[in-house]
Amino acid sequence: MKRSETVIISCAITGSIHTPSMSPYLPVTPQQIAESAIGAAEAGAAILHLHARDPETGRPTQSPEVFRQFLPAIKDGTNAIVNITTGGGLGMSLDERLAAAKWAQPELASMNMGSFNFNISGAGGRIETFRNDWEKPYLEMTKDFILSNTFTQIERGMTELGALGTRFEFECYDVGHLYNLAHFADRGLVKPPFFVQAIFGILGGIGPEPENLMHMKATADRLFGNDYYLSILAAGRHQLPFVTMGAILGGHVRVGLEDNLYLSKGELAPSNADLVRKIRRILEELSLTIATPDDARRMLQTKGPENTAF
């Protein structure tokens, strides 16, 4: 694993897992997403991982028209690296999932590195009444849902976005996904340094046990040597302790309302900025230095905001 003098904080602003009924603080409208993203950057996030939602219902959308309503404001309001999802919302076609990133040509885009069962049906278990008709069926259908990321689909995303100069956050939900990335690296379809986002705690992926983090890191070390940076995210209550462990091991961290709605036990996070401030405080107490956006650009070798299309 590449070692760096600074720790990159990524913040995932709204995602497509949580629904509006779960928290009044989840950004939904373009204005809310822009304001939340800028606030997270001001708090210390060097990378902003972005999804979009229908402004009326909060349902995930990959429409470039919706992204167009907040990306310019984020670019104007912060120097942070914009990282656009290609995972999109559950059940979308690959054309839909790639549309926003192909339009925006961002510095970074996420790339899921394998197909797997993606079960978030339990996420709404405490919700007695949903605000929108789509929410409950959207969650419950994942009991019988495979998040499709075939080799053909991954290669298409890498090829089409790579041709635009976009680099990738390689989202690895299990150990096998690291081997999938190594396959594409060996074929020369992606070049180092690889920004590997190891993801723990999604039902269907690898569980949030410390031993699993050590195993993922050891496997990535064998496969990529000094050609990768490791970043950690964990779902829900595991987020802050797990990413702290990752940082102690020399990795980078991701927080945000996409992955976790709570600031502490029983206390909803009022904003993405609050989650960023909390992990920043923890990291600085450990004498770790927080990366600026330009630090992250140098590490990840991105093309710079002036070469995006928004």
Side-chain angles (χ1 to χ4, degrees), residues 41-175:
E42 291 173 344
I47 296 175
L48 302 171
H49 176 68
L50 295 166
H51 289 241
R53 292 177 180 268
D54 181 299
E56 298 298 323
T57 67
R59 189 184 184 103
T61 178
Q62 285 294 94
S63 167
E65 292 300 321
V66 180
F67 278 86
R68 189 178 284 117
Q69 294 176 49
F70 60 78
L71 286 181
I74 293 171
K75 185 176 182 179
D76 289 344
T78 174
N79 187 38
I81 296 172
V82 167
N83 171 7
I84 294 180
T85 180
T86 65
L90 304 180
M92 292 182 181
S93 70
L94 186 61
D95 285 339
E96 290 174 309
R97 289 164 54 182
L98 294 177
K102 288 174 67 175
W103 164 74
Q105 303 178 32
E107 292 185 75
L108 280 179
S110 66
M111 186 62 58
N112 295 333
M113 289 312 301
S115 301
F116 66 108
N117 292 319
F118 194 102
N119 186 347
I120 57 169
S121 60
R126 298 181 181 179
I127 307 298
E128 294 182 0
T129 303
F130 286 92
R131 289 168 50 187
N132 301 285
D133 291 342
W134 67 268
E135 295 183 48
K136 187 174 182 180
Y138 179 83
L139 297 171
E140 290 188 344
M141 70 89 174
T142 63
K143 295 176 183 178
D144 191 29
F145 175 74
I146 295 172
L147 181 60
S148 180
N149 301 285
T150 67
F151 283 93
T152 296
Q153 290 173 322
I154 294 169
E155 182 169 343
R156 179 184 163 192
M158 288 177 170
T159 302
E160 293 183 4
L161 293 174
L164 303 174
T166 295
R167 290 184 62 80
F168 300 102
E169 171 202 28
F170 297 105
E171 296 195 346
C172 296
Y173 292 81
D174 215 330
V175 176

Side-chain angles (χ1 to χ4, degrees), residues 201-270:
I202 295 293
L203 185 57
I206 197 166
E209 284 80 41
E211 294 82 2
N212 287 339
L213 172 52
M214 300 301 294
H215 181 47
M216 288 282 277
K217 180 183 180 299
T219 303
D221 284 344
R222 288 194 302 273
L223 293 172
F224 309 118
N226 199 43
D227 283 341
Y228 83 106
Y229 292 101
L230 180 66
S231 183
I232 305 297
L233 80 86
R237 68 183 184 277
H238 305 287
Q239 182 179 82
L240 290 167
F242 222 72
V243 303
T244 301
M245 178 181 172
I248 291 170
L249 292 172
H252 304 276
V253 304
R254 181 171 127 174
V255 296
L257 293 172
E258 170 175 346
D259 307 322
N260 166 43
L261 295 174
Y262 287 84
L263 191 62
S264 60
K265 186 175 182 179
E267 179 189 1
L268 287 169

